[in-house]
Amino acid sequence: MPNIIKIDLSDKYRTLLTDVLPYELPLWYNNYNMYNCLKNNLSNYMTVSTLKNKISENLIPFNYKVFRGENKSPRVLSIIHPLSQLHVCDFYEKYATIIEYYCSKSDKSLRYPFKIATSFYGKVNKMGAQKKIDSIEMYEDDPKTASSYFKYLKYPFLYRFFESYEYHKLEKRFNHMMQVDISKCFPNIYTHSIGWATKNKRLAKNRSNGSFEHHFDTLMQNTNYKETNGIVVGPEVCRIFAEIILQQIDIDIVKILKSKYEDGIDYEIRRYVDDYFIFYRSLNVGEAVHLAISDALVKYKLHLNEAKTEYIVRPFTTKISITKNNIKNTIHKLFNYKTEKNGEIHKINYPDRKANQIISKIKMVIFQNNVLYSSISNYLIKSIENQFTDLINEINGLDKKEEHHLNWILVDLDVLFFFYAMDIRVRTTDKIAKQVEFLLTTISTWKEEAIKEVIYKKIFDLIKQAIDIFLITKGELYGLEILNLLVLLTLLPVHYQLDVNRLDQYYLRLIGTTSEDDFYFIWVTFLLYIKNNNVYDEIKSKLIILAKDYLTNNKDLFNSSHYFILFFDFASCPYVEKNIRSDVINKVKKINKANYKDETKDYILNNDFIVQWKKTDYLQNSLNKREFIFSYE
């Protein structure tokens, strides 16, 4: 039975674990360690940085790009400054109930926060960790926090709406559906417009400095280097800011149409973040609703992306939905073949041949429906993962592991990595990483060493191949996908390591695509891979010189989020000699005109900040935590 776990509502810092980071991050990156640092030792970081914990500071977010799929422009995401993250904690503590109110005004929204999370369900597994139930979860050794600060209605993912009774009811009543979205919604949101949404434009211009909308406006500027045009993309708090504005726009749309058409009778509107779904019977009504949405958005300096408008006539289904259903049936047939009628696992002798057969049949389904891999990759990989997990659990329960058991594992790995190679992105890499970690953890207790070695070698080769494919096929690199694959190799036994030339090629290719303010991910990932292995000393020297030059010559210093987190992670990195770290700290102290004692310096030298350098199981822990981070698409 699941346990109901109470959240410590007095802990305002829990926001650091839920609402301030993007989902698409390196596998090792989370805020759990920083949470403890800032909660228990904030004064040390303030003293070293000489920053004042005030919202008036000029704080620069750490912006980075992620690959979104073929023929799509990259998405720019942001890690807001650690001090900005603390300001979000303060804001939530003061205004959480007002956020609830402003996010519950419209009945058109499909995803919105409706109340502060006070408890959540957890289920203790055999390893003593809390396992997620219905996307809400925690771990015993971590602060008691849900996956988000607020509880949400109605649908955590858009596909849940398409599978819902609500959607089918709308299809009964209306024979047309139109889908439109806002063009570059977050980058175009004007921060002052929060006042227009909560009051009106005239009253907003006369607002009090102590008002909710003034504080939220100022907070959004604080996260984005005082910019008023656009908000950063990634943190949940920014989605909430947008949601408040878009809820008022929902209301405005209905008002515009009220004189001619009745909401709920002539048409229905649903909105998922910045995507609108219009349901109607008459084409004239559909165009009128479309125009009303456009007019309502213009008042907030927002516009529809006309190029992406889609029209659907009953039955309300798409090529993607049809493909997913066909994939589901195909995978069920293909993978059920593994088990004989007597319950034993079917024997096969040529795993590569069987993998090719499965891959070909799934490819045919995708080809017949004329959809892009990127549109169904998450579903496809998850479906294969589910079958793979069942297989591993079944084999794990056997007293003796035999060659045909190994062969089926090799088949599933080949199939999984083939379709992953078709759409290498952060989210698909995340799924692969969790599956590889699960497999390696499971086989670690097996007695059959020869079987284990074959699996290790297979994973090593497949990951190398995936990195090479990404490097060769992508014209412009953003790097996060490769870095996550690279760090995944650290889960393998130590004798499976890349040769120096190959690793150096990876480094040179990646570092050549960065600027001086976005190499932090590369720097940390390569040191996590290299550690103290003297085979890679030359590459490590390059990394140390890169960090030293940046930390002692950057003009923004600690006002930059990139600088702030790199400095404290560099200072505590055990793979850089202590005298080098100490020398950099002294130089930065002088440049920054800081004044602190040796005990403060010793603290930052010996205490991890973001990266858990000293934990050997850092990646396994991070992967477990990432499983419980809420994401949406």
Side-chain angles (χ1 to χ4, degrees), residues 456-520:
Y456 294 148
K457 180 67 166 54
K458 185 69 172 180
I459 292 172
F460 183 68
D461 290 341
L462 287 171
I463 292 176
K464 280 198 305 179
Q465 188 180 66
I467 294 174
D468 290 341
I469 288 170
F470 198 81
L471 284 173
I472 293 169
T473 59
K474 308 305 172 194
E476 186 175 359
L477 283 179
Y478 308 113
L480 199 51
E481 300 79 7
I482 296 173
L483 295 176
N484 281 344
L485 287 169
L486 183 61
V487 79
L488 191 56
L489 288 173
T490 64
L491 293 175
L492 294 169
V494 293
H495 55 280
Y496 287 97
Q497 51 184 243
L498 297 169
D499 65 74
V500 178
N501 290 334
R502 182 184 287 266
L503 188 63
D504 192 48
Q505 287 174 7
Y506 291 168
Y507 172 73
L508 292 174
R509 182 74 194 278
L510 290 169
I511 208 68
T513 64
T514 64
S515 67
E516 69 167 15
D517 285 323
D518 67 355
F519 66 84
Y520 167 76

Side-chain angles (χ1 to χ4, degrees), residues 55 88 191 215-227 230-232 237-238 241-242:
I55 204 163
V88 176
T191 64
H215 281 173
F216 213 168
D217 180 358
T218 305
L219 177 65
M220 288 296 99
Q221 292 180 49
N222 174 264
T223 64
N224 197 23
Y225 202 20
K226 297 294 179 67
E227 288 287 338
I231 60 176
V232 300
V237 63
C238 298
F241 184 85

Side-chain angles (χ1 to χ4, degrees), residues 419-431:
F419 289 109
Y420 167 62
M422 298 299 102
D423 185 32
I424 299 178
R425 290 180 290 139
V426 174
R427 290 175 186 271
T428 52
T429 304
D430 199 42
K431 293 178 183 297

Side-chain angles (χ1 to χ4, degrees), residues 613-628:
W613 298 112
K614 301 171 185 67
K615 286 192 174 182
T616 56
D617 59 349
Y618 74 93
L619 187 54
Q620 292 91 329
N621 289 337
S622 185
L623 284 170
N624 287 333
K625 293 182 177 83
R626 280 178 69 83
E627 184 181 354
F628 304 147

